[in-house]
Amino acid sequence: MCSSDLFLDLARQRRGHFQMESGLHCGLWFDLDAAFADQAALDPFVLQLSQVLRRYDVEAVCGPLTGGAFLAQLVARLLGAEFYFTTLATAAQSAGVRYTLPPTIGHRLLGKRLALVDDVMSAGSSLRATLSTVESHGAIPVVVGALHVLGSVGADYFKERGLRVESTGRSPFDMWRPDACPLCASGAPLEDPVQERA
């Protein structure tokens, strides 16, 4: 069994005031791209998740770019399944997040048992959008997998839709609507973690 704390160490967490893809605010950010830099350290987590997902007899694995797609490719290879990925089409908060499949492969999903995966799931916005997309192409999602689940917002969403969420670790995680964010109330400015890395 892998230690979930070790995976979060790979993802180099930092504290601040951030806006997530879902539009929710949080006080903790993870550099998930960094988690994929050390493949030897990542492999035990990928192997553990793949072993759990094998029980669902999936024919395809799909994840959102970037981390979810990287994970989907690794898991698909271990399971002998087909690999698919989705890309962000729009991030407009009012319209919701939308992910799409490459136009030439969506038809291949028709009738296939599918695992949706992401590196880390918190609110689950990219996986929710990916779920909608693969279902519109006739896939049959049977499980959701993540290397780590933060909080319960995303997991509860999929549970309500009859999909089990499997992971190698879970941690509590605070997320707030902007109008209920204590960091906003304290006057802390939003930070752009991507810009700060550049």
Side-chain angles (χ1 to χ4, degrees):
M1 185 68 77
C2 304
S3 164
S4 60
D5 291 339
L6 289 178
F7 175 75
L8 292 181
D9 287 343
L10 290 177
R12 293 192 291 196
Q13 59 184 325
R14 60 184 158 131
R15 299 199 174 277
H17 183 196
F18 310 102
Q19 180 169 303
M20 302 161 60
E21 182 180 70
S22 62
L24 297 175
H25 289 197
C26 64
L28 197 58
W29 192 264
F30 295 89
D31 181 1
L32 298 174
D33 294 338
F36 286 85
D38 187 346
Q39 287 290 299
L42 185 67
D43 280 349
F45 299 97
V46 176
L47 182 59
Q48 181 182 334
L49 183 62
S50 299
Q51 288 170 339
V52 173
L53 296 181
R54 187 177 298 281
R55 299 193 308 246
Y56 293 86
D57 194 27
V58 298
E59 301 167 272
V61 183
C62 183
L65 275 177
T66 54
F70 295 156
L71 177 61
Q73 189 170 39
L74 295 170
V75 170
R77 184 169 205 156
L78 288 169
L79 297 182
E82 293 181 2
F83 158 64
Y84 296 87
F85 66 94
T86 57
T87 56
L88 182 64
T90 177
Q93 300 301 328
S94 59
V97 177
R98 193 167 68 87
Y99 276 73
T100 59
L101 286 158
T104 57
I105 64 169
H107 69 281
R108 294 176 53 110
L109 281 171
L110 182 62
K112 288 192 173 142
R113 292 174 58 85
L114 180 102
L116 292 168
V117 301
D118 207 351
D119 45 11
V120 170
M121 179 174 64
S122 50
S125 60
S126 58
L127 279 175
R128 293 182 197 201
T130 297
L131 173 65
S132 176
T133 296
V134 298
E135 285 182 329
S136 74
H137 285 84
I140 305 167
V142 295
V143 65
V144 176
L147 294 176
H148 203 86
V149 174
L150 295 170
S152 62
V153 173
D156 288 348
Y157 175 88
F158 291 107
K159 182 179 178 182
E160 289 169 7
R161 277 144 191 83
L163 289 170
R164 188 172 178 119
V165 175
E166 302 285 3
S167 71
T168 64
R170 294 175 185 249
S171 299
F173 188 68
D174 290 324
M175 297 171 270
W176 311 280
R177 293 185 326 273
D179 62 355
C181 174
L183 299 172
C184 287
S186 71
L190 279 171
E191 303 170 43
D192 183 344
V194 176
Q195 189 174 46
E196 289 173 11
R197 275 190 316 182

